[in-house]
Amino acid sequence: MTSIGVVTFPGSLDDRDAQRAIRLAGATPIALWHGEHDLRGVDAIVLPGGFSYGDYLRCGAIASFSPIMSEVIDAAAKGMPVLGICNGFQMLAEAHLLAGGLIRNAHGSFICRDQKLRVENTSTAWTNEFDDGAEITIPLKNGEGGFIADAETIARLEGEGQVAFRYLEVNPNGSINDIAGVTNERGNVVGLMPHPEHATEEGFGPDTALAMRNGTDGLKFFTSAIRSLVSA
């Protein structure tokens, strides 16, 4: 059976939720510890949300130098699927596995809401089960979620199809071009600020009115990874 590792850092909050999402998708979740160099033979990796190291210096900055991140970087370079969710996205940016960076929300406040997204790239290891242009709703919760990059990087991301997700209806944090998530050129590394692991079961979040229709939108992230690994 496909195994997907979830790395726990000091301050991780959503590692157990990610493990549950992986189990619901049909894979085996494997707990990984930030202070070790052992990936335990996993087939893919999730860097979960939270406040690693209390968000000191910059969100994800200290975590990007954790011992296990050297293994994650090597594995990603060899093609292993890696997903960074919220704080995990910040780590991937700090580790230069993904372009750009994440800064304080433009309105200066923490935000928690059900967020509509459009799937812009369905050829990645984490999005291949979505339809092109699919509109999904998954929870968003962050204080430093504003995606930034220089003009040249933004043009490259847009031109080469590396924008994976875009905010719809409202830009909750001031991200350039409404960018909610990006992928690397190869398509095996994806990061996004919203939390797919919180939208994996019917009847549970997003809000009650949307739950039966959109409650499992997040599950396709994890079934996509399984599909890409089986296909490979």
Side-chain angles (χ1 to χ4, degrees):
M1 180 179 287
T2 300
S3 63
I4 302 178
V6 179
V7 183
T8 297
F9 299 84
S12 292
L13 297 180
D14 301 302
D15 45 343
R16 298 295 181 88
D17 301 74
Q19 290 176 26
R20 178 173 176 78
I22 290 164
R23 190 175 295 110
L24 289 170
T28 300
I30 303 294
L32 302 176
W33 183 242
H34 75 106
E36 299 178 352
H37 285 279
D38 186 4
L39 294 182
R40 300 180 60 188
V42 299
D43 302 303
I45 298 170
V46 174
L47 304 180
F51 302 90
S52 60
Y53 293 94
D55 282 348
Y56 289 115
L57 299 182
R58 292 183 308 274
C59 300
I62 298 176
S64 69
F65 290 101
S66 292
I68 203 165
M69 286 301 293
S70 62
E71 310 304 324
V72 173
I73 291 168
D74 287 345
K78 295 174 182 176
M80 180 180 288
V82 179
L83 176 67
I85 303 170
C86 196
N87 191 218
F89 183 13
Q90 295 161 342
M91 294 177 205
L92 291 176
E94 291 287 344
H96 305 294
L97 285 174
L98 290 175
L102 288 307
I103 63 172
R104 186 73 178 167
N105 293 345
H107 46 71
S109 301
F110 184 89
I111 187 170
C112 183
R113 55 170 287 136
D114 295 332
Q115 179 65 50
K116 281 193 174 183
L117 306 174
R118 182 170 61 242
V119 183
E120 301 281 29
N121 184 330
T122 59
S123 64
T124 81
W126 300 92
T127 60
N128 58 75
E129 290 217 328
F130 289 104
D131 295 328
D132 288 330
E135 296 184 5
I136 63 176
T137 302
I138 59 178
L140 172 75
K141 50 177 187 175
N142 65 72
E144 293 84 13
F147 183 81
I148 60 168
D150 59 56
E152 181 180 349
T153 299
I154 293 294
R156 176 173 57 81
L157 292 175
E158 295 282 8
E160 297 181 6
Q162 289 180 240
V163 175
F165 304 95
R166 210 179 300 271
Y167 295 116
L168 290 180
E169 297 185 356
V170 61
N171 184 326
N173 44 36
S175 294
I176 295 175
N177 290 8
D178 301 325
I179 294 173
V182 299
T183 180
N184 64 347
E185 292 182 12
R186 191 170 181 173
N188 62 305
V189 180
V190 170
L192 77 163
M193 289 310 297
H195 287 257
E197 78 280 15
H198 295 329
T200 56
E201 295 181 87
E202 290 187 355
F204 297 90
D207 68 36
T208 305
L210 295 169
M212 295 310 294
R213 186 173 75 252
N214 298 316
T216 60
D217 280 348
L219 194 62
K220 286 186 177 181
F221 285 75
F222 305 99
T223 55
S224 289
I226 296 170
R227 178 182 179 183
S228 67
L229 289 164
V230 171
S231 298

